[in-house]
Amino acid sequence: MTTASAVKINNVEEQAIKAKRAAKTLSVLTTEEKNEALYTVAEALEAGYESILAANKADLANGREKGFEEAYMDRLSLSKERVFEFAEGLRQVAELPDPNGDVMSGWTLDNGLKVEEVRVPLGVIGMIYEARPNVTADAAGLALKSGNAIVLKGGSSALNSNQAIVEIIHEALGKTKIPKNAVQFIATADREATKQLFTMKEHIDVLIPRGGASLIKAVVENATVPVLETGVGNCHIYVDKEADPEKAINILINAKTDRPAVCNAAETLIVHEAWLDQHNELLAEALKSHGITVHGDDSAAAALPDVVPAAENDWANEYLSLDLAVKTVNSLEQAIDHIDQYGTKHSEAIITENGETAKKFMQLADAAALYHNASTRFTDGGALGFGAEIGISTQKLHARGPMGLPALTTRKYLMSGNGQIR
């Protein structure tokens, strides 16, 4: 007797097989054919936004019923503007250079054998993510433009929204040269189906998890398929003793409050004691006016009002809310030590007017993205000109930082000879 769970898992394997076949077709399409498909999908998403929002409304109702936190609901929520934003992101991806076929290097051996190192698609990407319906469109667009098929497994909380988006993508791809099977969506909340993706080495070339720490840990620890690891964002703003006060506060407030629930929002302010002594009233006013709750050490509590005493877990916490940990230091070295201990290698910033201090910070801080006198909110594929991103890699192999089109390719060595033998 076949169980319902077994049927779902078998369906997942069938979807992966379809994706692999579609990847062959996709890999030989021209850049123009892929771009035309992305434009078609973008138009279809905008035309069908009402059906997407109706599906999202059901997901939001389920979220409220289950008592999801505000930050989670923000990531889950869609609007007409957000739908049009990810549709526009597809157009931006279409306008970017196609990395496939790029000759990365080439040389000729002494025997006349010609060697070329050429970019090619990864093949089939397995994408596992949580409550971000926009990822469905972003990931599909980046995969298709880079010549990859993709198997999407979104979180159960966004199941209705994701299904509505994929249905529109499939209908639009039916009018293009890209086979609709190049985008697969696993429409089940069954955890066994997700686990099945972890071990499909014969069909899936790489897994990309995007979400909270527990999801990423589960994929990294259990997958036999190679993983492109993304990471959570415990991002720091270090305000040096030579920081311009207006600049420092504007950057901090933007990094903390623009969208508190995203991974590039600041979670910890590291502040030099000399700067805090001089500008504590200005900082306190800014924090209070923006409704920010401070979890601070003893020195922060002495300088700022209404400080919640910081516990050890506050230094490692990705709040995803209007909470901010505040750590005081008396040197750049102490700031770096704190980042090394608690950072997640995502995004770190220094605010200072001293160029040498900034240079030293950039050299010593270990993160995918580093900023001098700018907000961490720019660690984003769209903001950095990638059109969109499939995730932000905090690892050091293959790809690091916002992963756009080049990160979704690998390489082949192509040799051309005239009868050479060894």
Side-chain angles (χ1 to χ4, degrees):
M1 181 176 178
T2 303
T3 66
S5 180
V7 170
K8 290 174 183 176
I9 292 173
N10 288 337
N11 285 343
V12 171
E13 186 169 17
E14 290 172 11
Q15 288 181 276
I17 291 170
K18 289 178 180 178
K20 188 172 183 177
R21 290 171 180 162
K24 289 290 187 183
T25 301
L26 181 56
S27 67
V28 297
L29 294 183
T30 66
T31 299
E32 290 71 24
E33 289 168 334
K34 291 184 290 185
N35 288 346
E36 181 182 344
L38 291 182
Y39 288 127
T40 301
V41 172
E43 291 175 6
L45 289 169
E46 289 177 346
Y49 80 90
E50 290 181 340
S51 65
I52 295 173
L53 296 187
N56 186 243
K57 186 176 180 180
D59 288 331
L60 292 173
N62 290 336
R64 284 189 290 270
E65 185 178 326
K66 293 177 180 177
F68 290 159
E69 294 180 358
E70 184 178 343
Y72 196 92
M73 291 292 285
D74 176 66
R75 295 196 296 273
L76 179 61
S77 178
L78 291 177
S79 63
K80 179 180 178 180
E81 290 72 25
R82 286 190 179 180
V83 173
F84 275 54
E85 281 176 9
F86 59 68
E88 182 59 28
L90 293 180
R91 295 189 180 96
Q92 293 176 15
V93 170
E95 292 165 7
L96 294 172
D98 187 346
N100 285 296
D102 285 352
V103 178
M104 302 167 68
S105 61
W107 60 94
T108 301
L109 302 181
D110 291 342
N111 64 5
L113 188 67
K114 294 180 180 179
V115 183
E116 286 187 334
E117 182 186 13
V118 179
R119 283 193 185 275
V120 294
L122 290 168
V124 180
I125 297 168
M127 184 79 187
I128 303 170
Y129 54 107
E130 294 180 329
R132 295 180 186 270
N134 65 293
V135 173
T136 302
D138 291 349
L142 286 166
L144 297 179
K145 176 63 183 271
S146 57
N148 297 286
I150 189 164
V151 180
L152 298 161
K153 178 60 179 73
S156 59
S157 59
L159 186 60
N160 295 297
S161 304
N162 290 332
Q163 278 189 287
I165 292 168
V166 172
E167 285 173 6
I168 291 173
I169 291 174
H170 279 169
E171 184 177 352
L173 289 180
K175 305 172 184 176
T176 75
K177 294 291 182 67
I178 294 180
K180 68 178 183 179
N181 281 337
V183 178
Q184 297 289 328
F185 177 67
I186 301 174
T188 176
D190 192 333
R191 291 180 181 271
E192 291 301 315
T194 305
K195 291 179 182 178
Q196 189 76 354
L197 273 181
F198 293 179
T199 57
M200 287 186 177
K201 290 184 70 173
E202 67 273 33
H203 308 309
I204 306 294
D205 293 287
V206 65
L207 285 175
I208 302 177
R210 182 170 173 179
S214 59
L215 169 69
I216 295 166
K217 182 180 179 182
V219 175
V220 171
E221 292 183 353
N222 294 288
T224 58
V225 177
V227 178
L228 263 175
E229 183 178 350
T230 62
V232 295
N234 183 18
C235 305
H236 301 76
I237 303 287
Y238 169 51
V239 175
D240 179 56
K241 63 182 178 181
E242 296 181 71
D244 176 88
E246 182 179 359
K247 193 179 295 182
I249 287 173
N250 285 342
I251 290 170
L252 172 66
I253 295 303
N254 173 262
K256 179 71 260 184
T257 68
D258 180 55
R259 282 195 71 188
V262 295
C263 63
N264 57 22
E267 303 292 12
T268 299
L269 165 65
I270 304 175
V271 58
H272 197 286
E273 289 177 346
W275 190 94
L276 184 61
D277 287 343
Q278 190 173 357
H279 303 292
N280 61 315
E281 292 184 2
L282 194 63
L283 176 61
E285 181 182 350
L287 295 171
K288 181 179 179 181
S289 66
H290 288 86
I292 297 171
T293 300
V294 173
H295 304 254
D297 61 13
D298 291 343
S299 295
L304 302 169
D306 304 319
V307 172
V308 178
E312 179 67 18
N313 66 294
D314 283 297
W315 308 127
N317 202 349
E318 187 184 26
Y319 292 112
L320 303 175
S321 64
L322 288 176
D323 291 81
L324 180 72
V326 178
K327 172 70 175 178
T328 56
V329 297
N330 58 29
S331 68
L332 171 67
E333 289 73 22
Q334 283 190 0
I336 295 293
D337 286 345
H338 186 86
I339 291 170
D340 284 346
Q341 184 172 355
Y342 298 103
T344 53
K345 305 185 189 304
H346 192 294
S347 301
E348 310 292 355
I350 182 172
I351 316 303
T352 185
E353 297 305 302
N354 187 311
E356 286 301 313
T357 302
K359 181 180 178 181
K360 192 171 183 181
F361 179 89
M362 298 293 215
Q363 290 172 331
L364 294 177
D366 186 8
L370 296 169
Y371 296 88
H372 173 209
N373 288 348
S375 171
T376 56
R377 286 283 289 117
F378 288 100
T379 308
D380 172 83
L384 293 179
F386 297 172
E389 70 188 31
I390 205 162
I392 296 172
S393 171
T394 54
Q395 65 180 25
K396 297 185 180 182
L397 299 178
H398 175 67
R400 200 175 195 203
M403 292 187 288
L405 297 173
L408 302 182
T409 63
T410 184
R411 61 199 66 190
K412 280 183 178 178
Y413 287 91
L414 307 182
M415 275 62 77
S416 177
N418 188 29
Q420 287 88 341
I421 60 174
R422 184 176 179 185

